[in-house]
Amino acid sequence: MVTIKDMMRPWATFLLTWLSYAGLYLTRKNLSAVKGVLVREGVVSLETLSTMDVGYLLAYSISMVPAGMAVDNGSPVAVLVAGLVGSSLATIALPYYFGLGSFWGVFIAFSINGMCQAAGWPSTAKLMSNRYPASQRVAIMGLWSTNYQLGGVFASMLAGYLSVAHSWKMAFYVPAQVLLCIAGCCLLFLQDSPEEETVKTEKRTDVQVENPIIFLCHSIVVKHCSVYVAIKLVRYSLLFWLPFYLASEHGYEDDAAAYLSTLIEIGGSVGVVVIGFFCQKFNVAPGHACSGFLLCLAVVMCAYAATPSPFLLPFIGFFLYGPDSLIVGAIGQNLAGPRYAGSLCALINGVGSLGAFAQGYLTPVITQSYGWTALFHLFSLSSLCASVVLLLPTPSIVLHAKTE
């Protein structure tokens, strides 16, 4: 007999995992919101900030696959809570090392933050995969993926407000404390999937593998990984540098620049819901929908390069975050099945982070040598290439990790 408690468990998992991944953006995006203040006050140089971003992204990328394998072979909740706590503590350490003027201190602390942040996506994706069947995941994951847009909005607004109303140090202390509270809630109320609650693994006879790394042998996985490299190149450059660009190039105050940058996440939160329900309602292949969105993104980025109007920022977010959420979420979950959803989603995310890693060097080099307009044209070209790659034919196979 199914009780009301049983019916509520998937939505309790939805809420707590949504809150957890949204909360991780409090300690991921706060630095970008106060970069202008740190540079103007002489706390740190622009070059050091760029190197910190690279260290963070390298640690994030390298840690993603081990985190995914730990999730699939252990407790997703334990991995998630460890990541939340570790990210909080690393963030609390940053103002101390900034005050000392220690390059290695801030570099190592922010890199540890990246390593801990890597635990977030595979653990939450695993928990969600276990709670919802494949037939529902595209729409449900579209709605769930609003976490990293709305989390980014709140993170920017909170850090921008704290840096102006109090001090830039509070933009690190307060978000870290909030994240620790979320970690406590997950530890108390979030549960790994018991046998009877887990969505039964789909019966498949297509391609079975024992080691999730072997997924990279299949062209369909390589295709989605390469597309995600292009998406993360764009997304993380905007995530880390848009407030700085708005303040330095257009004269906005630091808090106003932080607030204005959230227009991308606001548009993105609509995009992830729309693309998920569009695919579900009209039975559109997620890959084709992602390709269309990325083509539109290429056009919008060209328009922004020509006329950098704030009006275009929500449209950039809409067409950027829609395919982002599907490729690293529902598509990866459905390819791997619940057993290895954490590993494959982490693999796609980790390989895609090479794009985020590359932007750490490309963004300052291109903007200082050729200007911001050239960077936006690069984003347009990257989006166009990703759109075309998604349309390339690949074997129609369903990957599934072999179970006992």
Side-chain angles (χ1 to χ4, degrees):
M1 179 178 177
V2 179
T3 65
I4 294 178
K5 184 178 179 181
D6 293 329
M7 294 173 63
M8 290 301 294
R9 278 171 179 159
W11 289 105
T13 299
F14 183 104
L15 178 61
L16 285 171
T17 54
W18 190 100
L19 189 62
S20 297
Y21 205 74
L24 282 169
Y25 270 73
L26 296 176
T27 55
R28 181 182 301 191
K29 204 180 178 189
N30 54 343
L31 178 60
S32 67
V34 298
K35 279 181 176 176
V37 177
L38 295 174
V39 172
R40 279 199 309 275
E41 294 187 4
V43 176
V44 67
S45 68
L46 192 61
E47 291 73 18
T48 297
L49 288 172
S50 177
T51 305
M52 287 175 62
D53 287 347
V54 171
Y56 169 96
L57 292 167
L58 182 60
Y60 182 86
S61 179
I62 292 174
S63 303
M64 185 63 69
V65 172
M69 297 179 72
V71 162
D72 283 331
N73 294 284
S75 167
V77 173
V79 174
L80 175 61
V81 171
L84 295 173
V85 172
S87 179
S88 299
L89 297 179
T91 300
I92 290 172
L94 277 173
Y96 172 75
Y97 288 113
F98 274 133
L100 291 179
S102 171
F103 167 80
W104 287 109
V106 295
F107 179 82
I108 292 173
F110 203 47
S111 297
I112 292 174
N113 185 21
M115 180 180 68
C116 295
Q117 291 263 345
W121 188 263
S123 56
T124 53
K126 172 75 171 184
L127 289 164
M128 287 295 293
S129 178
N130 286 341
R131 292 297 195 267
Y132 296 95
S135 61
Q136 299 177 11
R137 282 188 203 126
V138 173
I140 291 293
M141 287 301 292
L143 183 62
W144 180 83
S145 294
T146 56
N147 51 28
Y148 61 98
Q149 291 87 47
L150 298 181
V153 169
F154 184 68
S156 295
M157 295 180 70
L158 179 63
Y161 166 76
L162 291 171
S163 66
V164 172
H166 299 280
S167 72
W168 60 265
K169 292 183 179 180
M170 296 304 293
F172 295 94
Y173 292 141
V174 174
Q177 292 170 11
V178 173
L179 192 60
L180 282 174
C181 293
I182 295 173
C185 291
C186 290
L187 186 63
L188 292 174
F189 303 113
L190 188 59
Q191 296 180 346
D192 293 321
S193 300
E195 184 84 18
E196 63 271 14
E197 284 186 36
T198 305
V199 175
K200 289 185 178 181
T201 299
E202 294 84 358
K203 301 296 183 180
R204 296 169 181 162
T205 59
D206 300 272
V207 177
Q208 294 189 336
V209 296
E210 296 181 355
N211 188 334
I213 299 299
I214 300 177
F215 283 143
L216 279 176
C217 296
H218 299 287
S219 58
I220 191 169
V221 175
V222 174
K223 178 172 77 172
H224 287 98
C225 285
S226 61
V227 168
Y228 205 56
V229 169
I231 289 175
K232 276 209 162 183
L233 171 68
V234 178
R235 184 161 75 85
Y236 268 76
S237 183
L238 295 174
L239 177 72
F240 284 169
W241 292 100
L242 184 59
F244 178 82
Y245 161 74
L246 293 172
S248 61
E249 298 295 315
H250 296 283
Y252 290 99
E253 295 295 329
D254 293 307
D255 55 344
Y259 299 153
L260 193 59
S261 71
T262 63
L263 290 175
I264 285 189
E265 281 96 348
I266 292 171
S269 66
V270 178
V272 298
V273 175
V274 169
I275 196 171
F277 281 96
F278 175 77
C279 292
Q280 193 95 9
K281 178 72 173 178
F282 299 102
N283 198 28
V284 176
H288 292 165
C290 291
S291 178
F293 267 55
L294 288 169
L295 179 61
C296 293
L297 176 62
V299 174
V300 175
M301 288 305 311
C302 271
Y304 190 78
T307 308
S309 168
F311 172 76
L312 294 173
L313 294 179
F315 293 96
I316 292 174
F318 183 91
F319 293 118
L320 173 62
Y321 280 93
D324 181 287
S325 67
L326 283 190
I327 289 172
V328 79
I331 290 177
Q333 289 171 331
N334 289 342
L335 283 174
R339 176 63 181 89
Y340 279 117
S343 292
L344 186 54
C345 289
L347 184 65
I348 295 173
N349 202 337
V351 174
S353 294
L354 294 175
F357 176 76
Q359 72 76 30
Y361 285 109
L362 289 175
T363 299
V365 169
I366 291 176
T367 55
Q368 290 177 12
S369 301
Y370 305 102
W372 288 92
T373 299
L375 182 68
F376 298 140
H377 282 304
L378 174 64
F379 291 166
S380 179
L381 179 61
S382 175
S383 303
L384 179 61
C385 291
S387 176
V388 172
V389 168
L390 278 173
L391 296 178
L392 296 177
T394 50
S396 298
I397 60 174
V398 180
L399 305 174
H400 176 51
K402 188 176 180 180
T403 57
E404 297 295 330

